[in-house]
Amino acid sequence: MKLYHFTVGELAALLERLKGNVALIMEDGVAFAMNSKLSQLYALRMMMNRSADGYLSPELRVENAEDRDMILRYLIQRCSRISGWAS
């Protein structure tokens, strides 16, 4: 699942809410398991170092269907806030 234009804070908050196995896939194919806080911090730091504009566009491999649904709901809510659809 590819996510676009996330801040570090947004992505970290999203990762905190996930319950199942999640891997963050880097551009070079290296995967980081997001189950540990240390792994999350290291992967986010690497992504920030490679980001030209300060935003992250990570690819996540999500095994749990509930986590996938939660991410999709978050993206829909985020899109509606940005577009002005939400009241």
Side-chain angles (χ1 to χ4, degrees):
M1 174 181 292
K2 183 76 171 174
L3 306 177
Y4 294 96
H5 207 69
F6 272 68
T7 64
V8 172
E10 278 181 308
L11 186 56
L14 185 62
L15 291 172
E16 284 292 316
R17 296 172 58 191
L18 302 178
K19 295 176 176 66
N21 291 330
V22 177
L24 189 138
I25 313 299
M26 304 300 277
E27 298 94 25
D28 54 5
V30 174
F32 288 94
M34 295 287 100
N35 298 1
S36 82
K37 186 60 109 176
L38 180 60
S39 182
Q40 285 180 17
L41 292 173
Y42 185 76
L44 291 174
R45 174 69 181 201
M46 283 184 65
M47 288 187 74
M48 278 304 297
N49 286 342
R50 296 177 182 181
S51 174
D53 60 0
Y55 288 97
L56 309 177
S57 295
E59 181 177 346
L60 298 178
R61 185 174 44 221
V62 182
E63 292 182 4
N64 187 333
E66 290 177 16
D67 288 341
R68 209 173 298 120
D69 292 343
M70 191 271 303
I71 292 171
L72 291 175
R73 280 193 307 275
Y74 175 81
L75 292 173
I76 290 168
Q77 291 172 352
R78 184 178 186 238
C79 203
S80 66
R81 276 194 319 267
I82 292 170
S83 67
W85 294 344
S87 53

